[in-house]
């Protein structure tokens, strides 16, 4: 029986085991510009054993569904990030390219998105009222299923956030996500298709 299908039937069989980083090499450098700007560039290669992955399984009726499975995986990644920090405005942008080998191993594992990007921008008025934009994007995920290439569409997750500091001790905040109503996921077993909102209270003691 396929390891992924076995895990779906009996989660305790292997999902509770841990992964191991056999090789994890990273190189990078940082550039500081214009007092407020920081740029990081990097690249790395990782060989991971027993990594938890999204796996597609076909049942007897020819229907596909997702389960968790553990497979060895080799990944090369290149990263770019830029941060701007000033008294009134802060911006953080990240971009990653990843090339994983799970698909080429012939398993039913879905590779991670080849391209992923995150952006967070926040402006404040008098360091009391804060509001900003959150943006997350992922490209399609690809894999092999019974010798056929399959893909899961990427997504764009647009969000907004705001905070009001009542005083030095108390602040209230609001965060909204997936305002475009796309299929946003970190795993295929948990997909959000509608906007979500969170309200919070922060107390500094």
């Amino acid at each position: 029986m396929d390891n992924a299908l076995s895990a779906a039937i009996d989660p305790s069989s292997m999902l509770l085991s841990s992964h191991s980083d056999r090789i994890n090499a990273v190189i990078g450098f940082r550039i500081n510009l214009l007092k407020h700007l920081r740029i990081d560039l990097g690249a790395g290669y990782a060989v991971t054993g027993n990594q938890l992955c999204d796996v597609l399984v076909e049942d007897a009726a020819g229907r596909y569904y997702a389960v968790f499975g553990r497979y060895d995986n080799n990944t090369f990644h290149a990263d770019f990030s830029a941060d701007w920090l000033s008294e009134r405005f802060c911006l953080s942008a990240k971009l990653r390219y990843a090339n994983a080998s799970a698909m080429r191993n012939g398993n039913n594992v879905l590779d991670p998105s080849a391209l992923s990007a995150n952006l967070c921008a926040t402006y404040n008025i008098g360091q009391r009222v804060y509001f900003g934009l959150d943006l997350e994007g992922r490209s399609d995920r690809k894999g092999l299923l019974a010798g056929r290439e399959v893909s899961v569409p990427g997504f764009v997750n647009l969000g907004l956030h705001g905070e009001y500091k009542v005083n030095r001790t108390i602040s209230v905040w609001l965060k909204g996500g997936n305002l475009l109503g796309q299929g946003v996921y970190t795993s295929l077993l948990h997909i959000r298709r509608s906007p979500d909102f969170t309200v919070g209270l922060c107390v500094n003691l």
Side-chain angles (χ1 to χ4, degrees):
M1 180 180 294
D2 183 90
N3 286 343
L5 184 56
S6 173
I9 297 173
D10 181 12
S12 64
S13 61
M14 66 181 201
L15 293 186
L16 296 182
S17 60
S18 60
H19 73 274
S20 60
D21 291 327
R22 299 169 182 170
I23 298 176
N24 190 359
V26 179
I27 187 172
F29 61 92
R30 173 172 293 175
I31 304 173
N32 294 304
L33 296 172
L34 305 175
K35 184 180 178 179
H36 301 292
L37 179 62
R38 183 181 70 196
I39 296 176
D40 290 291
L41 297 171
Y45 180 76
V47 178
T48 306
N50 208 30
Q51 182 175 357
L52 191 63
C53 304
D54 281 323
V55 181
L56 292 179
V57 175
E58 183 177 7
D59 63 16
R63 296 169 298 189
Y64 305 131
Y65 60 96
V67 299
F68 282 136
R70 287 193 178 274
Y71 290 96
D72 295 344
N73 198 18
N74 303 335
T75 305
F76 166 79
H77 61 88
D79 303 275
F80 166 84
S81 68
D83 296 279
W84 176 277
L85 182 61
S86 63
E87 184 177 353
R88 287 290 186 90
F89 178 72
C90 64
L91 172 72
S92 178
K94 301 180 187 300
L95 179 66
R96 164 169 282 205
Y97 167 77
N99 186 346
S101 65
M103 183 180 73
R104 292 189 299 275
N105 287 340
N107 300 318
N108 298 342
V109 181
L110 279 174
D111 288 340
S113 299
L115 290 175
S116 59
N118 295 81
L119 184 144
C120 179
T122 304
Y123 184 80
N124 79 83
I125 301 175
Q127 295 185 348
R128 187 159 190 168
V129 178
Y130 297 78
F131 55 91
L133 171 76
D134 299 295
L135 191 63
E136 176 189 14
R138 298 287 186 273
S139 63
D140 294 353
R141 298 181 62 184
K142 300 182 182 297
L144 287 178
L145 180 60
R148 304 185 305 273
E149 184 176 280
V150 295
S151 65
V152 175
F155 62 83
V156 174
N157 181 7
L158 173 64
L160 298 174
H161 62 268
E163 181 180 2
Y164 175 69
K165 291 189 175 182
V166 180
N167 50 45
R168 293 183 178 180
T169 304
I170 300 174
S171 63
V172 293
W173 54 269
L174 170 68
K175 183 177 178 64
N178 197 20
L179 301 182
L180 301 178
Q182 297 196 1
V184 174
Y185 56 85
T186 52
S187 167
L188 295 183
L189 297 181
H190 179 65
I191 301 178
R192 296 176 290 133
R193 300 189 180 277
S194 58
D196 55 84
F197 297 91
T198 306
V199 179
L201 175 68
C202 182
V203 179
N204 295 311
L205 300 178

